[in-house]
Amino acid sequence: MKAMPTKERILYASLDLFSEKGYDGVGVDLIAENAGLKGPSLYRHFKGKEDIFHSLIDLVESHYEEGFGLKNTPEGFPDSMDELIEDALGKIQFTMHDDIVRKVRRILAMEQFRSERMAELATRYHLENLQRLYEAIFADMMEKGKMKQDDPECLALEFVSPVSLLIHVYDRQPEKEAEVLEEIRKHFQHFAKVYAKDS
């Protein structure tokens, strides 16, 4: 098995540490130690902790966009309410179980009240990215005659907000996973019942 490049080792070590101890609770020497390096050698790859953190966010954003499908195009949008529900549930499974995404949510939960950048990222991850994606999906479904005509932006907010809250319940109480998923499915089914265009 090919060894992970040093720069990536540093980033993944920092992800683990930041998610456990918060940004302020982690020093560069601890990151180096957890990456299997001596402290000074870390500076061959990064200027310091802030540089590591910004590089980590870039890595995670790319991972999240790819795994979650935020770059979906209309060709990949659902063609029916059943497809919408199954696609959304697949995205939720990724969100709940992907180790990187879970650790980033934990970091954002800890740091959003201490850092303006973290507050902006938390809003983007928990709401804005999802709202934009589903706004585009709903506009497309309305155009195809699969949904009633309405304000796609408002519908996207209605669709994603309860899910975001329920994911936070799962993060705090992972033993409630089955209950959370059932509540999300019921929410999606109700949404589909209300907004599906009559055939």
Side-chain angles (χ1 to χ4, degrees):
M1 187 178 190
K2 192 177 176 183
M4 186 183 290
T6 303
K7 197 163 185 174
E8 281 185 38
R9 278 206 335 267
I10 294 167
L11 291 175
Y12 285 113
S14 68
L15 175 65
D16 289 342
L17 290 166
F18 291 148
S19 71
E20 291 166 14
K21 301 174 181 294
Y23 181 82
D24 290 339
V26 176
V28 170
D29 288 342
L30 185 58
I31 294 171
E33 181 185 326
N34 277 260
L37 304 169
K38 299 287 184 191
S41 63
L42 183 143
Y43 290 100
R44 284 188 228 137
H45 304 278
F46 296 99
K47 294 174 189 171
K49 185 167 82 166
E50 190 173 345
D51 186 28
I52 293 170
F53 189 74
H54 290 304
S55 297
L56 176 62
I57 294 301
D58 292 341
L59 173 79
V60 167
E61 284 195 282
S62 175
H63 174 80
Y64 186 73
E65 285 178 1
E66 184 180 332
F68 195 82
L70 286 174
K71 293 182 178 176
N72 280 1
T73 60
E75 294 76 34
F77 285 168
D79 281 324
S80 68
M81 285 295 188
D82 286 342
E83 279 186 32
L84 171 70
I85 291 171
E86 290 313 307
D87 181 68
L89 286 170
K91 287 175 170 29
I92 286 161
Q93 289 287 347
F94 169 76
T95 297
M96 290 171 82
H97 297 123
D98 184 88
D99 196 44
I100 292 172
V101 173
R102 289 185 72 192
K103 286 175 181 174
V104 169
R105 270 202 315 275
R106 187 173 170 85
I107 293 168
L108 292 176
M110 286 190 281
E111 302 299 329
Q112 63 185 318
F113 300 106
R114 295 187 224 178
S115 158
E116 191 174 319
R117 179 155 194 233
M118 290 299 96
E120 288 169 5
L121 283 171
T123 301
R124 192 177 342 149
Y125 281 129
H126 299 321
L127 181 62
E128 290 173 351
N129 286 347
L130 297 170
Q131 189 174 4
R132 276 197 298 273
L133 173 64
Y134 284 102
E135 184 180 344
I137 288 173
F138 295 157
D140 181 68
M141 290 182 76
M142 287 174 202
E143 193 175 314
K144 291 175 182 170
K146 305 295 183 181
M147 277 183 78
K148 294 176 182 175
Q149 290 297 320
D150 208 315
D151 182 338
E153 185 180 353
C154 287
L155 292 187
L157 185 61
E158 181 179 336
F159 189 75
V160 304
S161 295
V163 176
S164 186
L165 289 172
L166 287 163
I167 294 293
H168 286 300
V169 171
Y170 163 74
D171 284 341
R172 290 188 297 271
Q173 298 171 286
E175 71 277 6
K176 290 192 169 185
E177 178 178 354
E179 184 182 328
V180 163
L181 284 171
E182 181 56 25
E183 286 299 317
I184 290 171
R185 184 179 284 278
K186 279 164 57 180
H187 164 61
F188 287 164
Q189 288 170 338
H190 177 73
F191 183 93
K193 183 179 175 183
V194 171
Y195 293 110
K197 189 153 185 186
D198 298 330
S199 349

